[in-house]
Amino acid sequence: MTARPLRILGIDPGLNITGYGVLEVVAGKINLCEAGVVRGRSQGSLSERLAEIHSGVVEVIASFAPSTMAIEQLYSHYKHPRTAILMGHARGVICLAASQAGVGVEHYSATQIKKVLTGNGHSPKGQIQLAIRRELNLLETPEPADVADALAVALCHHYLHARRLLARPKPA
């Protein structure tokens, strides 16, 4: 009996555009299943936009049955606290969708993602996109940037998860 492949859903949360990427790991090989965006209408009310994000993420989870979801943590600049509050709403409905489907959620900071993929926690976006292209053998950088960011979160989770599995003591 073969084990179910590991599927990682990476999410870059946003109120207007939420990027997602689904990676499947089989025998240590990383394959891209799908990547895209869930769009919230920029003109709709906050509650309508959140409902659209939730619905879109529910659909992705139902389609790909991920083993886990990796999501970028909230970052806020002290000059823009309202942005952090609004982004927290988006992250909340995304985490709710995962919880409703019984999918565990792991949270990673932007600097942690960058450090895992490039060795530098302050890498520019172009360097991250190059790392994604290289690691997934892509001919072009995924567009929009939210998709590339979601794939970066998923790759970060994979590499950190693989490291944890290798560090576990072997059963006697």
Side-chain angles (χ1 to χ4, degrees):
M1 181 175 183
T2 51
R4 179 176 164 228
L6 174 68
R7 279 203 181 148
I8 305 164
L9 170 58
I11 297 279
D12 178 45
L15 276 176
N16 296 326
I17 300 175
T18 292
Y20 72 89
V22 181
L23 302 180
E24 185 174 76
V25 182
V26 181
K29 184 169 173 13
I30 306 168
N31 301 305
L32 174 60
C33 294
E34 182 175 291
V37 296
V38 173
R39 292 191 188 272
R41 290 189 308 240
S42 58
Q43 300 302 317
S45 72
L46 177 61
S47 58
E48 289 171 344
R49 289 161 58 189
L50 293 172
E52 290 168 348
I53 293 166
H54 179 267
S55 176
V57 173
V58 164
E59 189 176 311
V60 171
I61 291 171
S63 296
F64 293 97
S67 312
T68 192
M69 176 192 287
I71 187 168
E72 188 171 329
Q73 280 182 341
L74 189 58
Y75 169 78
S76 137
H77 193 276
Y78 69 92
K79 291 182 181 179
H80 306 285
R82 188 172 192 281
T83 302
I85 293 166
L86 292 172
M87 289 302 297
H89 292 312
R91 287 185 88 252
V93 299
I94 292 165
C95 292
L96 174 64
S99 178
Q100 289 172 329
V103 175
V105 180
E106 296 288 335
H107 307 268
Y108 299 98
S109 70
T111 54
Q112 183 179 25
I113 295 163
K114 291 174 180 183
K115 185 163 178 99
V116 166
L117 292 182
T118 68
N120 177 358
H122 300 287
S123 297
K125 196 171 274 290
Q127 193 174 1
I128 299 301
Q129 291 172 335
L130 184 63
I132 292 161
R133 285 183 57 191
R134 183 188 67 239
E135 293 300 311
L136 298 176
N137 296 315
L138 302 175
L139 297 176
E140 296 181 6
T141 302
E143 293 289 335
D146 310 270
V147 174
D149 292 346
L151 290 169
V153 178
L155 279 170
C156 173
H157 174 78
H158 167 68
Y159 292 133
L160 291 177
H161 180 73
R163 187 181 305 156
R164 278 184 237 132
L165 290 177
L166 291 173
R168 284 188 188 158
K170 304 288 184 229

